[in-house]
Amino acid sequence: WMRGYTREEINSFGRKLQIVDDLLDLETDYLTYDTNCLLLEDQAQGFANEAREFLNGRFFTQLKTNSRVYRVIGTTASKVLNRFGSSQVSCGQLFQTGRPATAGLFGLVLPLVSFSFYGGVPWSLGVTCALSFMGLTMSIMVFNDWKDRTHDRKKGKLFASEHTAELWAYWVKLNVVTGGFLLLVVWYDVWLAAFCTVVWVVGILYSFIPHWYIIQNLTVALCAGSPALCGAVYNGKLNADSVLTFLLFATLLFLGEVYKDIEDARIDRGYKATLPVRVGHVQTVVNLIGLVFVPTTIALLHPNPWMFRIMSVGAPLLLFSQASMLLRPERVAHTRWVMNRVVTGLLLVLLMTSSS
């Protein structure tokens, strides 16, 4: 079937396959300082457009038809391409800037769990508050991408800088929808609506404090864990479930933020005062190894025994993965993967056991 292509076309396919290979290796090459055409700030968009055209072309379509390996390569490469701008912006691309599968889901589920700690909360309030927190969490994410759009080009993330106007317009519309849900929360409880609004404002302010050492990590951790306190705010009292759930997720997400700082240490130097930038990679990892015992201890004290059961498995995995980062900094991507699974497991188990 290759006879249907000219020699010049076949030669160009080799170049384009190399660009696709760079797409697949983008994260690893970024962490290990290897050469990658998609990390060339001024030329990355051109290479991305070339790869997108190739992946949608007749030649690669035939490769996918004849080989499952190329189908996997095509799917993986297309996902990486989503971070680069294109001539047209889809609603799906804009929606993904709010991290709905992680931050959005977290903001949706944790408020529902927090109300279950007290009982007697109208289901309509629980759903409205959960949707409000999902919206404001995604709003914070989108605004941070918009604010850091120029700096993020150094990481190969071009979508925000290539579609600044579209992203801003989407953020405004997202705020309008979120504000509508918050007005409904006001109808149930003014103090709960005020609490959600404060978290929203503090999360937005995070984008303006890149040079405040450790403060930016604590801000993200406190905002991310705050949905666990919705039930306490509504009922006007704290209990062990809400406080320990808040502390558990806040400490885990603090670790997660430091993992991201390790990935971005080379680019953040001179822009953000992060832990790896200030004390170096080795000392940061050593500190992380000790900090893993904080959420593990909190899980042990949690009234829900499943919290400690999950952490008794997750903590050793995190410790092992973090230790491997001492010699191989690129392993931080695996450590983040482990952390995401631990947090998701804790969240889902809380949701399933909260009514029992």
Side-chain angles (χ1 to χ4, degrees):
W1 59 273
M2 290 287 291
R3 295 175 182 175
Y5 299 95
T6 65
R7 183 178 297 274
E8 290 74 17
E9 287 177 319
I10 293 174
N11 289 338
S12 70
F13 294 153
R15 163 192 165 85
K16 293 173 181 178
L17 283 169
Q18 181 60 54
I19 297 174
V20 172
D21 181 66
D22 279 359
L23 270 174
L24 300 177
D25 294 338
L26 183 61
E27 293 293 338
T28 302
D29 290 345
Y30 168 72
L31 291 170
T32 56
Y33 312 103
D34 282 348
T35 302
N36 189 305
C37 68
L38 293 153
L39 292 175
L40 301 174
E41 183 177 343
D42 297 333
Q43 304 175 49
Q45 185 59 58
F47 285 120
N49 291 338
E50 195 172 343
R52 186 178 288 108
E53 180 183 358
F54 175 63
L55 291 173
N56 294 326
R58 183 165 63 94
F59 178 74
F60 197 80
T61 300
Q62 288 180 297
L63 289 178
K64 291 190 293 184
T65 302
N66 297 328
S67 172
R68 181 177 179 274
V69 172
Y70 281 102
R71 290 196 291 272
V72 174
I73 289 174
T75 301
T76 306
S78 295
K79 289 180 180 179
V80 179
L81 275 174
N82 287 336
R83 70 177 60 183
F84 295 93
S86 59
S87 57
Q88 294 183 340
V89 184
S90 68
C91 293
Q93 286 177 303
L94 291 170
F95 186 66
Q96 288 298 322
T97 58
R99 285 50 155 205
T102 52
L105 182 63
F106 195 83
L108 180 67
V109 174
L110 200 52
L112 295 174
V113 170
S114 75
F115 288 120
S116 71
F117 295 149
Y118 294 87
V121 178
W123 68 267
S124 53
L125 169 60
V127 171
T128 304
C129 184
L131 290 172
S132 299
F133 247 106
M134 181 180 182
L136 70 87
T137 302
M138 293 179 64
S139 170
I140 292 169
M141 292 290 180
V142 174
F143 184 80
N144 183 250
D145 278 1
W146 181 85
K147 181 68 170 58
D148 286 346
R149 60 192 183 279
T150 302
H151 180 69
D152 284 347
R153 291 185 68 88
K154 301 175 184 177
K155 307 174 187 178
K157 300 177 181 179
L158 307 182
F159 183 83
S161 60
E162 295 290 338
H163 302 291
T164 303
E166 294 92 336
L167 191 62
W168 178 263
Y170 171 70
W171 181 70
V172 172
K173 293 174 183 176
L174 180 60
N175 290 347
V176 171
V177 174
T178 303
F181 284 120
L182 274 178
L183 287 176
L184 293 176
V185 176
V186 171
W187 189 75
Y188 287 99
D189 188 88
V190 173
W191 290 109
L192 180 58
F195 172 72
C196 296
T197 303
V198 168
V199 173
W200 193 1
V201 172
V202 171
I204 294 296
L205 291 177
Y206 160 81
S207 297
F208 296 95
I209 55 171
H211 300 289
W212 291 13
Y213 180 55
I214 297 295
I215 298 298
Q216 65 267 26
N217 301 108
L218 290 173
T219 301
V220 173
L222 294 175
C223 287
S226 62
L229 299 176
C230 287
V233 173
Y234 178 71
N235 285 275
K237 59 181 178 181
L238 294 170
N239 63 17
D241 290 275
S242 60
V243 172
L244 290 174
T245 300
F246 165 73
L247 292 175
L248 176 60
F249 284 105
T251 52
L252 285 172
L253 293 167
F254 176 85
L255 295 177
E257 282 299 299
V258 178
Y259 297 155
K260 289 168 61 179
D261 289 342
I262 291 175
E263 281 187 326
D264 297 337
R266 177 171 60 94
I267 300 298
D268 285 343
R269 193 171 300 278
Y271 180 75
K272 285 185 178 181
T274 63
L275 194 62
V277 169
R278 281 288 187 91
V279 304
H281 175 76
V282 173
Q283 186 59 51
T284 299
V285 175
V286 171
N287 292 340
L288 287 173
I289 291 173
L291 286 172
V292 169
F293 293 97
V294 177
T296 306
T297 303
I298 295 171
L300 177 62
L301 299 174
H302 200 285
N304 189 328
W306 279 102
M307 296 298 95
F308 182 68
R309 291 169 188 167
I310 293 175
M311 283 303 300
S312 65
V313 176
L317 292 174
L318 286 171
L319 287 170
F320 176 79
S321 187
Q322 288 179 173
S324 68
M325 288 160 50
L326 287 170
L327 298 177
R328 297 178 59 190
E330 68 273 13
R331 291 281 296 175
V332 67
H334 178 265
T335 306
R336 288 187 64 189
W337 183 89
V338 174
M339 175 62 79
N340 288 339
R341 274 36 184 197
V342 171
V343 170
T344 301
L346 290 168
L347 196 60
L348 293 178
V349 168
L350 267 178
L351 183 63
M352 291 186 293
T353 59
S354 59
S355 59
S356 60

